[in-house]
């Protein structure tokens, strides 16, 4: 008989599966201190929490029977993941339970900004009957731009079609084939900003998506566009949005999230007549709260019964001999995927991983997870070594692993190739005694540099003076070069240079570099 401890007032309806399970005994306790939990946790195989209870390493150390910690929600900041992983305890969350709740709030916000409902309500209850001020627009026959076509964005697109809207979608992992299946036209961020009447964002907040919509994007927009953000604060530049509304470019906006929450009392959104705000209500429905409890209950049962599960957020146990052989490569593998993911513009359809040398003698699937995590983590929220393969599969991303005994001049070599409809890029890396992690190949070019810090990857024609021009331009902009690597196949042909710089280059510097006639492509890569 498995014993499950349920904390933090999780609803009985949500955990009914556990109550009904013949092999599970459920105890509900609320408000226990760490000392109280430590005293009783030895009796339990699983513990379910929301955000109130902190599941510390001390608690898990005392839980000699503990196999799984479940979080009825998305965030796991209150759970010591490292402590759980060290003890082979699986930590799971419920990332899908709030999908419909957030999708429906997005439509509520879209309708509210289209018809200015909160503003009209405020005037009406204030005793003013004002019909002329609140002439809105219809959704029918309008273009909706959806930035981020994951779970929530896809549901929004589906409902928008029912409203008679044309949908443009952007997602770094959305292929044309999948977009066609969904009835969505594939576009870039700038395509959407220039063509959409309504724009809604459903991406995680990463270095790549922070201020995804800012002044340059607002300058592209149709006059009268409307913006909705029920995803994460910071995806849209808040001050640039206010400027765009005041300039008459954007007709209105509706935000459920802020860059800093709660916002300051003088935040310009709070008193702007064209902006609707709510206090981060995306998952605040009865159904969503029950759904996350149901989802986590199902996963707990799977884990306790040794059945397949998907929503884990930490590393599952790896046999000691395999871990010993692979652990030195985990960091290298993640960096290979991370760097390579930053070199691709269009949707990735396939990841090909080739292991050479001694690595062919062990099960490399744990290392594959790190590589896939690295590829995905710039664009997806909550990617980890457990769920990376599941997330890749859910986006129709094909993972191919190959092994070859020969590693040429290296004892071991890990080579990763990303394929899209129009291109493919390759990185290869190894561990060198005394030097550590090294990248030794970019596409067809041999190189040798450490994958760390901020890098500039520059494709150019192999002509005298180019390196000097690049160095002079960076120096004049106070950008210091720490290291430089140049790779070429033949004299006078195409070539690359990889520069390690001491700080990130500004957009202006990158534009100046791109303007040099001998350079064919400039990318900044950051680790």
């Amino acid at each position: 008989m498995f014993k499950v401890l349920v904390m933090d007032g999780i609803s009985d309806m949500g955990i009914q599966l556990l109550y009904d399970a013949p092999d599970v005994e459920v105890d509900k306790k609320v408000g226990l201190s760490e000392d109280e939990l430590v005293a009783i946790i030895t009796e339990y195989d699983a513990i379910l929490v929301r955000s109130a209870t902190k599941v510390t390493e001390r608690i898990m150390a005392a839980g000699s029977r503990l196999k799984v910690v479940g979080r009825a929600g998305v965030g796991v900041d209150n759970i010591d993941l490292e402590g759980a992983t060290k003890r082979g305890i699986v930590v799971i969350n419920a990332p899908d339970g709030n999908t419909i709740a957030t999708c429906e709030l997005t439509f509520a916000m879209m309708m509210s900004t289209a018809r200015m409902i909160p503003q009209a309500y405020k005037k009406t209850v204030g005793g003013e009957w004002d019909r002329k001020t609140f002439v809105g627009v219809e959704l029918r026959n309008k273009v909706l731009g959806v930035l981020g076509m994951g779970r929530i964005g896809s549901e929004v697109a589906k409902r928008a079609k029912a409203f008679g809207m044309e949908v443009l979608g952007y997602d770094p992992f959305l292929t044309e084939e999948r977009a066609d299946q969904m009835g969505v036209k594939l576009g870039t961020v700038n395509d959407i900003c220039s063509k959409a009447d309504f724009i809604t964002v459903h991406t995680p907040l990463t270095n790549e998506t922070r201020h995804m919509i800012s002044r340059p994007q607002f300058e592209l927009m149709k006059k009268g566009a409307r913006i909705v953000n029920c995803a994460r604060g910071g995806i849209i530049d808040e001050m640039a949005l206010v400027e765009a509304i005041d300039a008459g470019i954007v007709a209105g906006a509706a935000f459920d999230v802020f860059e800093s929450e709660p916002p300051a009392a003088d935040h310009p959104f709070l008193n702007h007549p064209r902006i609707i705000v709510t206090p981060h209500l995306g998952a605040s429905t009865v159904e969503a709260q029950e759904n996350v409890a149901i989802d986590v209950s199902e996963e707990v049962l799977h884990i306790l019964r040794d059945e397949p599960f998907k929503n884990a957020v930490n590393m599952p146990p790896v046999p000691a001999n395999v871990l010993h052989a692979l652990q030195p490569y985990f960091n290298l593998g993640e960096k290979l995927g991370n760097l390579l993911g930053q070199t691709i513009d269009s949707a990735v359809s396939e990841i090909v991983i080739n292991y050479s040398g001694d690595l062919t003698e062990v099960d490399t699937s744990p290392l594959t997870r790190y590589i896939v995590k690295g590829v995905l983590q710039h664009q997806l929220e909550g990617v980890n070594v457990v769920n990376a393969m599941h997330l890749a599969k859910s986006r129709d991303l094909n993972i191919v692993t190959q092994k070859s005994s020969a590693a040429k001049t290296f004892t071991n070599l890990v080579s990763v190739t990303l394929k899209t409809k129009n291109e493919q890029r390759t990185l290869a890396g190894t561990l060198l005694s005394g030097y550590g992690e090294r990248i030794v190949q970019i596409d067809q070019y041999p190189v040798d540099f450490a994958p760390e810090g901020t890098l500039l990857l520059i494709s150019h024609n192999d002509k005298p003076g180019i390196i000097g021009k690049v160095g002079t331009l960076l120096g004049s902009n106070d950008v210091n070069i720490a290291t430089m690597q140049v790779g070429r196949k033949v004299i006078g042909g195409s070539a690359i240079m990889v520069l390690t710089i001491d700080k990130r280059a500004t957009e202006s510097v990158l534009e100046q570099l791109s303007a040099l006639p001998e350079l064919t492509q400039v990318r900044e890569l950051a680790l």
Side-chain angles (χ1 to χ4, degrees), residues 100 102 120 184 236-237 273 296 344 359 367 417 449:
I100 300 303
T102 306
V184 171
I236 297 171
D237 185 335
V296 79
I344 292 292
L359 288 173
L367 178 53
T417 298
F449 65 92

Side-chain angles (χ1 to χ4, degrees), residues 481-499:
I481 300 173
T483 66
M484 172 180 285
Q485 273 282 309
V486 178
R488 67 181 185 183
K489 294 293 286 185
V490 295
I491 298 174
S494 61
I496 61 168
M497 66 176 81
V498 183
L499 312 178

Side-chain angles (χ1 to χ4, degrees), residues 143-380:
V143 176
L144 172 64
V146 182
L147 298 177
M149 292 293 295
R151 297 183 305 271
I152 297 170
S154 298
E155 292 292 337
V156 169
K158 185 191 304 181
R159 285 155 179 77
K161 302 291 287 184
F163 273 82
M165 304 183 82
E166 178 185 343
V167 182
L168 295 178
Y170 164 79
D171 190 285
F173 298 104
L174 181 65
T175 61
E176 288 187 12
E177 292 77 13
R178 188 158 175 256
D180 288 342
Q181 292 171 2
M182 300 169 66
V184 171
K185 292 184 179 179
L186 192 59
T188 65
V189 173
N190 286 348
D191 287 338
I192 287 172
C193 289
S194 63
K195 297 175 183 177
D197 301 291
F198 292 83
I199 297 173
T200 178
V201 295
H202 298 285
T203 72
L205 181 63
T206 66
N207 289 334
E208 281 64 40
T209 63
R210 181 177 293 279
H211 290 185
M212 174 186 281
I213 299 180
S214 191
R215 287 181 181 87
Q217 288 70 42
F218 286 121
E219 291 172 0
L220 297 173
M221 289 184 188
K222 293 180 178 181
K223 187 174 181 180
R226 289 169 170 83
I227 314 291
V228 175
N229 185 2
C230 293
R232 290 288 185 271
I235 297 171
I236 297 171
D237 185 335
E238 293 176 350
M239 298 305 106
L241 171 61
V242 172
E243 292 173 6
I245 293 176
D246 292 344
I249 298 171
V250 174
F255 272 56
D256 185 48
V257 290
F258 294 81
E259 292 197 34
S260 178
E261 294 183 358
D266 62 348
H267 193 291
F269 279 18
L270 301 185
N271 295 299
H272 200 291
R274 291 278 177 176
I275 301 178
I276 298 163
V277 293
T278 49
H280 208 144
L281 301 178
S284 296
T285 66
V286 171
E287 293 86 351
Q289 296 305 310
E290 289 182 358
N291 287 339
V292 294
I294 291 169
D295 289 350
V296 79
S297 296
E298 288 177 343
E299 291 290 271
V300 164
L301 283 177
H302 289 318
I303 292 168
L304 293 179
R305 294 168 176 170
D306 290 326
E307 298 170 349
F309 57 93
K310 61 181 181 180
N311 289 331
V313 294
N314 65 333
M315 181 69 182
V318 178
N321 63 320
V322 174
L323 185 63
H324 178 75
L326 295 182
Q327 194 164 29
Y329 292 89
F330 286 161
N331 201 40
L332 172 66
E334 185 170 337
K335 288 181 177 180
L336 282 170
N338 190 321
L339 287 173
L340 198 53
Q342 296 178 59
T343 68
I344 292 292
D345 290 321
S346 51
V348 179
S349 57
E350 187 170 81
I351 304 174
V352 180
I353 304 168
N354 188 277
Y355 298 109
S356 302
D358 295 343
L359 288 173
T360 61
E361 299 175 7
V362 295
D363 176 12
T364 52
S365 57
L367 178 53
T368 297
R369 291 178 178 273
Y370 276 92
I371 294 170
V372 175
K373 174 194 173 187
V375 173
L376 299 181
Q377 65 187 1
H378 272 279
Q379 307 295 345
L380 299 179

